[in-house]
Each structure stands twice: as structure tokens, then as C-alpha cells.
């Protein structure tokens, strides 16, 4: 960039990231600028970015139209649009959404879906429905599968965006529903169900997904939804046993404690009675009733096709985990051994064993001892209190993770896959990128936004990748 006196630039600012300024002088290797607030600032020329003085007040709807496509320019454009309630902006075929943190029902009603249906991409205002529509049209006209990647930091709106994409796809690819258990209804209802078991309150988001999710929606040759498959990645297991204030454990535990009948049946009570929940004093979420959420989860289970018996088993297992967490240990007579601490712990132990449908003594043995396989046979070794607690927590985490996997499999089985389907749309909603200083998957890190990226290379990438490698591969690949 060639700088002259009077050049319009962006200069870094501690408070607002970037501030508009104008070059006034050159002092040695430095450039003196005066900011819009009238402050004189010295900066190295490489730290200044050109600024379009004539930038449209309302911003541009596609950032490829910007005179200067640089970080401050992009942020400024998004800010201008956001001020006018325009939360969506394109950068070519990429959609950037800035979280409105308020309900915008007029943006997502049936009328809007109807408008975007079949409209050429870019003709109407930027919208997540336009991306979903473009992928549906591309799938139909090219007869090729598509995938949409939704990425961004925690709380950016990935999951909400994913749900809107699914809502749109079930709208354009749905049949006239005669009962409420059509494939598309089941696909949509899988969301609240997975969220009850895989989402939790964090400092960044009251409904933070603690797992990655890839939903593949299958279509028949005429473009109607014929099946779906959900794959989940890397559930945060540690949250089951360890939480910090003001975060929460997985929603389902609080729902169960507020369920009324189940609370009594499983000898539960207020969440503050349970170690796995009372490590944080946050039990309620603003504007959310745990009891109502419990009913919603139950209803979602009905729609997805989980039988009453299975539902009972699911909540029984959750209750068992809570009782398990309340078992405390005390040093035993032998060196480095442990025993169940007191009557209270014993009653939780009994309840846990009853709910797990296992033998009480066997549970004690598994918690307080370890069996080691040697050449001479099996040796039973006592565990000290610390090791017993660690074993107890591992059991809780493993049971929970298996329950989660079982639930996903159950949803998959009951929604049903269409093995004959030749065309699919995959939607990936994956968290965790916020912990990287920079991720190469999308360059818009640091923003409270999400980026929806439509292409089908991702689908190929995902094939043949095992769970653990997924994140690594995503980060390595320049999509
Ligand atoms: N399009 C939207 N309209 C209105 N509110 C939204 C929208 N997108 C997100 N939100 C609000 O922001 C909150 C966080 O969004 P969401 O749960 O989708 O974030 P996320 O990116 O999935 O975060 P995490 O990585 O923690 O799972 C939502 O609960 C909702 O209140
Ligand atoms: Mg999420």
C-alpha cells in the first residue's frame, strides 16, 4: 500500500480492535495518523490497512464487493449491517452470520422459506435458507451429494444455524405429513433429544454442544427425504463428573431431577443433593423450565421411536449415575485400601446397584479393588480412596458415553437409512475451534459468527476417517 498524507487507513486500537484514521505525517520509519476520535497515533506502515472512505453506510451484502478486503474492512462491514439487523452477509458462496442473541421469527417463517425456494443464489438478501436451497438445487441438478460446514466459536450460533438448515431441507424435501412421525419430523426431533444429553451450560453459551455432529440427510431420486444418519464426535465425558461454577452438567440430569414421578421413583431430589451436580451452584437456566424440558425430551423420544421401556431404562441409568457419584470412600484397615464411607454412601451404593441392576457386592468390589492378570493368575489389589474415587468417576463417564452412543444409534435405527439413496446433504456442526489461536478451516476466527460453507469435498474427506482423527484432519485440510 502506498501511503500519502491524507490516505484513509485503519489503525489498531486496544478497545475497538480497529479505528478509522487518516495519515497526517511521516516520522522516521513510523507513520503518524489521526483517528476519527482526534487522537494522534504512531504506527508502522505494515500495521495500517487501507480504508474505503466512501464505504456504503449500510454496508455491502457480499464482501467480495468491498474495495479493500481486509480484516478491519470486513469487521466494519459486518458491524454496519448488524446495526441494521442484517445478521447475514456473503463472502462469495460463504455465508457469515453474526449472532443476533434475540429471536427473529420473521426471518425464519414459512413465508421466508417459500421465498428462498428456487431463487437464484445471491438474488435475495443473504440468508441461511439461501445456502440450504443452493445445496439442494445443486444436489438435484448435478445429481451429486453436497455438504455444508457450520463453524465458528462457542456461542456463535452453529447449532441454531444447523437446525435452520435442517428445517429448510425438510421443508423443500418433505412429504405432506399425515402423522407426526414422518422421517423429516424424526430428523428434526433428533435435535432436542441430542441436545438434552449432549448440551450443557458453559460460561459462553447456556446451550453449548459438547460434541460434534454430522447429519446426513438422504434423498430419493425425486428429491424427497428418504432417510437420515447422524454421526457424533468427541463427547466431552469429563463434564459428567466434574463441573465448575457457573457451568452445568448435561441438561438431562436437571430435567430428570425436575420430572416429578421419576424423581420419586429413583429417589432423587434437588440437584444440590448430588455431587455430580452440586460442584456448581447453577441449577436453573434463564427462561427455561427443567420440568417442561423433561416433557419435551420425552415427547422427542416418542416421536423418534424410543419405546416406553427404553425410555425408562435411559432415565434409570441417569439416576444410577447420580447415585454412583454420591458414593464416598474411607481408608480401610489394610494399608492403601478403601471401604464405603458411611450409611449415606451405602444407601446411594444400594440405589446405584439396584438401578444398574447389578449385584451390590460386585459393585463394591469393582470400586474398591482392581484385579490384575499375571502369569500365576488373577491378583486382587486393594485401591486407596483416591483411586476408588477415580474408578467411580470413570465408571460414570463410561456409562454416560455409552448411553449417548446408544441413543445416537437408536435414533439412527428408528429414523432409518435409505441404503438406495444416491444423493445426500451432509451438515457438520462441530465445536471446539475456539481453543485454537488460528484455525485454517475458516479464517473468520475471533468473530461471534458462524460460517456456512457449501461444498462436497468435505464429504469425501470425512469418508474413512476415524473419530479421533476428524478434528486433526479438518484442521490440516485447506478446504
Ligand atoms: N439465528 C439466530 N437467531 C436467534 N438467536 C440465535 C441465532 N443463532 C444463535 N442464537 C442464540 O445464540 C445461542 C447460542 O447459539 P448456538 O447454541 O447455536 O451456538 P453454538 O455455535 O452451537 O455454540 P457451541 O459451540 O457452544 O455449541 C442460542 O441459544 C440462541 O439463543
Ligand atoms: Mg452448538
Amino acid at each position: 500500500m502506498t501511503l500519502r498524507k491524507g490516505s484513509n487507513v485503519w489503525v489498531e486500537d486496544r478497545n475497538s480492535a480497529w479505528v478509522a484514521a487518516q495519515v497526517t505525517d511521516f516520522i522516521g520509519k513510523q507513520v503518524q495518523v489521526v483517528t476519527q476520535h482526534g487522537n494522534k497515533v504512531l504506527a508502522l506502515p505494515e500495521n495500517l490497512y487501507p480504508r474505503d472512505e466512501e464505504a456504503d453506510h449500510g454496508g455491502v451484502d457480499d464482501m467480495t464487493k468491498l474495495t479493500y478486503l481486509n480484516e478491519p474492512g470486513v469487521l466494519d462491514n459486518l458491524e454496519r449491517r448488524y446495526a441494521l439487523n442484517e445478521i447475514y452477509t456473503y463472502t462469495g458462496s460463504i455465508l457469515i452470520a453474526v449472532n443476533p442473541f434475540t429471536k427473529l421469527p420473521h426471518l425464519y417463517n414459512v413465508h421466508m422459506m417459500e421465498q428462498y425456494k428456487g431463487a437464484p443464489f445471491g438474488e435475495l438478501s443473504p440468508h441461511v435458507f439461501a445456502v440450504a436451497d443452493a445445496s439442494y438445487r445443486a444436489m438435484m441438478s448435478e445429481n451429486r451429494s453436497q455438504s455444508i460446514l457450520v463453524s465458528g466459536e462457542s456461542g456463535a450460533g452453529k447449532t441454531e444455524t444447523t437446525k435452520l438448515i435442517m428445517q429448510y431441507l425438510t421443508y423443500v424435501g418433505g412429504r405432506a405429513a399425515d402423522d407426526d412421525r414422518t422421517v423429516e419430523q424424526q430428523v428434526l426431533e433428533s435435535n432436542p433429544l441430542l441436545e438434552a444429553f449432549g448440551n450443557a451450560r458453559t460460561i459462553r453459551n447456556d446451550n453449548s454442544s459438547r460434541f460434534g455432529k454430522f447429519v446426513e440427510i438422504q434423498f430419493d431420486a425425486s428429491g424427497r427425504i428418504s432417510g437420515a444418519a447422524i454421526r457424533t464426535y468427541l463427547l466431552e465425558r469429563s463434564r459428567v463428573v466434574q463441573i465448575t461454577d457457573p457451568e452445568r452438567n448435561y441438561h438431562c440430569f436437571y430435567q430428570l431431577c425436575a420430572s416429578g414421578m421419576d424423581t420419586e421413583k429413583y429417589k432423587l431430589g434437588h440437584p444440590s443433593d448430588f455431587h455430580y451436580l452440586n460442584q456448581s451452584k447453577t441449577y436453573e437456566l434463564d427462561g427455561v423450565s427443567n420440568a417442561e424440558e423433561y416433557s419435551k425430551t420425552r415427547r422427542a423420544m416418542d416421536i423418534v421411536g424410543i419405546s416406553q421401556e427404553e425410555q425408562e431404562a435411559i432415565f434409570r441409568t441417569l439416576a444410577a449415575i447420580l447415585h454412583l457419584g454420591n458414593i464416598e470412600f474411607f481408608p480401610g484397615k489394610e494399608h492403601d485400601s478403601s471401604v464405603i464411607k458411611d450409611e449415606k454412601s451405602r444407601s446411594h451404593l444400594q440405589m446405584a446397584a439396584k438401578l444398574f441392576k447389578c449385584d451390590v457386592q460386585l459393585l463394591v468390589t469393582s470400586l474398591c479393588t482392581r484385579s490384575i492378570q499375571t502369569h500365576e493368575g488373577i491378583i486382587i489389589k486393594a485401591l486407596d480412596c483416591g483411586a476408588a474415587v477415580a474408578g467411580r468417576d470413570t465408571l460414570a463417564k463410561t456409562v454416560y458415553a455409552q448411553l449417548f452412543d446408544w441413543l445416537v444409534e437408536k435414533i439412527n435405527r428408528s429414523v432409518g437409512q435409505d441404503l438406495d439413496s444416491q444423493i445426500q446433504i451432509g451438515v457438520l456442526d462441530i465445536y471446539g475451534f475456539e481453543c485454537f489461536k488460528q484455525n485454517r478451516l475458516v479464517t473468520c476466527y475471533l468473530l461471534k459468527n458462524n460460517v456456512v460453507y457449501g461444498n462436497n469435498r468435505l464429504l469425501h474427506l470425512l469418508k474413512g476417517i476415524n473419530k479421533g482423527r476428524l478434528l486433526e484432519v479438518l484442521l490440516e485440510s485447506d478446504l
Side-chain angles (χ1 to χ4, degrees), residues 99-100 102 108 153-160 205 207-209 431:
N99 193 337
T102 174
Y108 307 118
E153 66 173 317
S154 179
K158 298 182 292 297
T159 302
E160 292 300 317
N205 184 354
N207 186 33
S208 183
S209 321
Y431 86 104

Side-chain angles (χ1 to χ4, degrees), residues 79 85 184 195 206 250 261 268 276-277 294 368 453:
E79 193 179 14
N85 264 335
E184 52 273 20
E195 285 182 22
D206 271 9
Y250 290 104
M261 276 207 348
L268 298 170
Y276 287 159
L277 308 181
Y294 171 81
C368 299
Y453 191 105

Side-chain angles (χ1 to χ4, degrees), residues 256-273:
L256 176 61
C257 287
S259 65
M261 276 207 348
D262 273 359
T263 323
E264 243 169 73
K265 188 159 84 186
Y266 301 131
K267 292 212 169 58
L268 298 170
H270 191 265
S272 58
D273 296 339

Side-chain angles (χ1 to χ4, degrees), residues 372-390:
I372 305 165
Q373 183 79 43
T374 67
H375 289 305
E376 282 84 43
I378 294 171
I379 296 177
I380 307 286
K381 186 182 171 293
L383 294 177
D384 65 18
C385 295
V389 166

